[in-house]
Amino acid sequence: MAGLRLGPLVRYVDWETGTSATVWVETDRACTVEVRCEGGGEGTARTFLVAGHHYALVVVTGLTPGSAAEYEVVLDGERAWPSPDSPLPPSTLRTPQVPAAGAVVAFGSCRWAAPAEGADPVGPDVLDTLAARLAAGTGDDRPDVLLLLGDQVYADETSAGTRAWIARHRRENGTGTGAPPDQVADYEEYTHLYDESWGDPELRWLLSTVPTCMIFDDHDVIDDWNTSAAWVAEMRATSWWHERIIGGLMSYWVYQHLGNLSPAELAEDELYAAVLAADDGTEVLRAFAERAEADPASVRWSYRRDFGRTRLLMVDTRAARVLEEQHRAMLDAGEADWLRAQALDGPGGVDHLLVGTSLPWLLPPMVHFAEAWHAALCRGERGPRWARFGEWLRRRADLEHWAAFTASFHRLTDTLAEVGRRDGAPATVCVLSGDVHHAYVAEALWPAGRQPRSRVFQFTCSPLHNSVPRAMRIGFRFGWSRFAKAAGHLLARHGRVARPAVRWERGGGPWFGNQLMTLTLRGRTARLRLEKAVTDAGRGGRDTDRAGARLVEVLDRGLTEEG
C-alpha cells in the first residue's frame, strides 16, 4: 500500500475563477494520487519519478468560488490524508470570491528546521505558532497565501540529527566524497532536509491548508551562493561543488518551483512534460540543472501571481546574477526587463504591487552606503589593493544586497517610481524581503515634484525560525542612527559613490525574534501587522503550539488613509 512521505501542500489557488487549485505530494512508491473535496472538486495525477523519489502535483478542479472545502488525499484508492488519529482540523482548499475584495498576505524567510527532540536552540517556530492559532480558530485575517522568501532549508547549517544521518548515508552508499561532513552533498541529501523541515506535524498541517509561494535564497544551496565571480571559480574548483549545485537546483525545481506555477503554465512547461513522460525523470531534470548552472540566463525562476487586484512579482536574486565585476547586476538584462514589464502590465493597473525579493532593497542607511562603497572598491575605484580587500570583505560580511549591485539598485528604484507615478498607480508598492534575521519598516521618499502617487515601502521580516548574535543586533540598531548614516556618507565619498535619487525613513524596528508580517489588503486600503512567537504562555493553551508558544502582536499599522 502506498503512503505519503511528505505533503500534501496546497500551492497554487486560482484567483481568476476561484474554481481550481494545485496540491503537491511526495509518496513512498509509484501510485495514482487523487484529491477529493467535500461538496465537489477533485483531481487525479500519476506520480513521476526523480532519483528514486515519487512525486505528484495534482490539479484540482470543480471548486466553488468563496468556499472552504475539506479534502482528502487518496493513493491507489486508499485514503492517506488526513490521518485518522490527527488532533488537527481537516485540511481545506479555500477559494476566493470572484471578483475578490482583497487579499491577506503573510510573509517571512529563514526557517531552520527545529530539532525533533530536546530544547530548541533558536526559540519557538513562528509557523508552528501560526498553525496552532489557525487550528484553534482564533485570531483574525487568516492568510490567503503565505510567501516564503528564501532559506526554506539550510543545506549548509544542518542539525545534529541531519549530520548523523549524512554520515550514515555516505558510509552506506559511498557518496559525498570530499564534501563537508556537516553540509549536504547531493539530491538525496537535499530530500532529507525537506523530510526534516516539512515533516514537522504543525507545519505539515499549515502547508496543507494555506497556499504558499516560494523562492530560494543562498542557504537553500550554500551561504554566499553566487556572491562573486571569484567565489564561483573557487567553488567550481572543488571536488564536491558540482554535485551540490546540481542537486540543489533539481530539488528546488521539484519541491518548490513546480508549485509556484499555475495549471496553464504547467501545461506549457516543456520540462514538466518531459519529466512526466519519462519512466524515470532523473536524467531529464539533471540535464536541465546542468544548463541552469552553466547559463543562468537560460532559466527564469521568477514568477508572477495576481490575487485579484493585488499583484505579486517574486524575483530570483540568486541564480539570475551577473557576476563580471565591471558589469555586476542582481538580475540579468532579460530578468530586469521582465520585472519592469510585469510591474507595468495592464492598462487598469492594480491596487497593490508586491515585489518579493529575498534580499532587501532598502537597508539601514549605514549598511546601504557601506555596501555601495564596498562595490566601488571591488570595481577598482581605489586601485587593485583596495579591490583585493573588497573581495575578502564581501565574503566575510555578506555585502551582497541590492546596494552592492549599484546599477541594479538604481534600476529597481526607477521601476518602482515609474509604477507609482503612472496614471492609475497602485495605492501601495511594497518590497517584501527577509534574509537579515530582523524586521523593520522603511518608506521610500523622492524629492519634491518626483514623489510617486503610490506609497512605496520596504518591509523586511526574518527569521521565521532562526537567531542573530547579540553583536549583530547592536549593529543593526546602530545602522539606523544619524551618526551611522553620516559615517556611511563618508564611506560613499571615499568610494566615489553618488547618493541615490531616493531616500528612506525608518517607520519601525528593528525587531528581533522569530516573527511574521501580514499585509491585509482590501480594495485600496492596506494594513501591516507584525507578530512574534513567544513562550510566555503555558503549555496546552488553545492557541499555543507544542512548545507552549503563541503569537504576540508587535505592530499593527494602517498604510493608507483608509487603512
Side-chain angles (χ1 to χ4, degrees), residues 390-430:
E391 177 63 27
W392 175 87
L393 183 62
R394 174 155 51 201
R395 303 190 199 183
R396 282 151 185 82
D398 287 342
L399 302 178
E400 52 167 351
H401 300 87
W402 284 90
F405 293 80
T406 309
S408 295
F409 174 86
H410 293 308
R411 182 164 185 178
L412 177 59
T413 301
D414 291 345
T415 294
L416 300 180
E418 185 178 1
V419 170
R421 292 180 186 134
R422 69 189 304 213
D423 292 338
T428 66
V429 176
C430 305

Side-chain angles (χ1 to χ4, degrees), residues 175-416:
T175 57
T177 304
D182 57 345
Q183 301 183 26
V184 302
D186 56 24
Y187 185 90
E188 182 63 28
E189 294 182 8
Y190 274 104
T191 68
H192 180 81
L193 293 183
Y194 286 101
D195 287 347
E196 179 183 52
S197 183
W198 291 0
D200 170 349
E202 286 161 313
L203 179 71
R204 188 174 186 180
W205 177 82
L206 179 70
L207 298 181
S208 77
T209 200
V210 176
T212 50
C213 295
M214 305 182 190
I215 197 71
F216 47 35
D217 198 20
D218 55 345
H219 290 284
D220 289 274
V221 176
I222 192 171
D223 189 27
D224 296 336
W225 177 29
N226 282 347
T227 193
S228 69
W231 181 93
V232 171
E234 287 186 18
M235 297 304 290
R236 287 177 174 173
T238 67
S239 62
W240 52 270
W241 170 249
H242 185 73
E243 198 61 32
R244 167 73 160 274
I245 185 62
I246 297 306
L249 294 175
M250 290 173 65
S251 62
Y252 177 75
W253 185 87
V254 171
Y255 286 84
Q256 298 191 49
H257 181 68
L258 265 186
N260 294 329
L261 305 180
S262 70
E265 290 168 323
L266 290 169
E268 296 176 355
D269 192 293
E270 294 180 359
L271 174 61
Y272 184 52
V275 170
L276 290 181
D279 292 334
D280 183 341
T282 306
E283 292 308 314
V284 174
L285 185 55
R286 185 179 182 88
F288 162 81
E290 296 272 5
R291 292 193 301 273
E293 162 65 357
D295 181 13
S298 67
V299 178
R300 175 167 297 131
W301 300 106
S302 301
Y303 58 96
R304 163 180 159 178
R305 293 286 307 276
D306 286 348
F307 307 107
R309 289 185 56 79
T310 294
R311 176 166 300 160
L312 167 69
L313 302 178
M314 196 74 98
V315 184
D316 160 28
T317 54
R318 281 293 166 185
R321 294 178 174 187
V322 176
L323 298 176
E324 198 280 310
E325 203 63 59
Q326 299 304 316
H327 304 283
R328 277 173 65 86
M330 185 69 84
L331 310 177
D332 63 52
E335 196 88 2
D337 289 343
W338 175 89
L339 175 58
R340 180 179 180 276
Q342 296 300 319
L344 293 167
D345 183 45
V350 294
D351 290 331
H352 304 277
L353 175 66
L354 312 179
V355 179
T357 162
S358 61
L359 303 176
W361 164 53
L362 301 179
L363 292 160
M366 186 190 74
V367 181
H368 172 90
F369 288 116
E371 293 205 9
W373 161 79
H374 161 265
L377 297 187
C378 291
R379 288 195 303 270
E381 290 290 340
R382 287 291 179 178
R385 181 176 298 178
W386 279 103
R388 289 192 296 272
F389 168 74
E391 177 63 27
W392 175 87
L393 183 62
R394 174 155 51 201
R395 303 190 199 183
R396 282 151 185 82
D398 287 342
L399 302 178
E400 52 167 351
H401 300 87
W402 284 90
F405 293 80
T406 309
S408 295
F409 174 86
H410 293 308
R411 182 164 185 178
L412 177 59
T413 301
D414 291 345
T415 294
L416 300 180

Side-chain angles (χ1 to χ4, degrees), residues 420-439:
R421 292 180 186 134
R422 69 189 304 213
D423 292 338
T428 66
V429 176
C430 305
V431 178
L432 315 180
S433 306
D435 178 70
V436 290
H437 289 204
H438 68 289

Side-chain angles (χ1 to χ4, degrees), residues 49-65:
L49 179 65
V50 174
H53 293 257
H54 305 273
Y55 310 94
L57 188 60
V58 182
V59 178
V60 182
T61 59
L63 300 171
T64 302

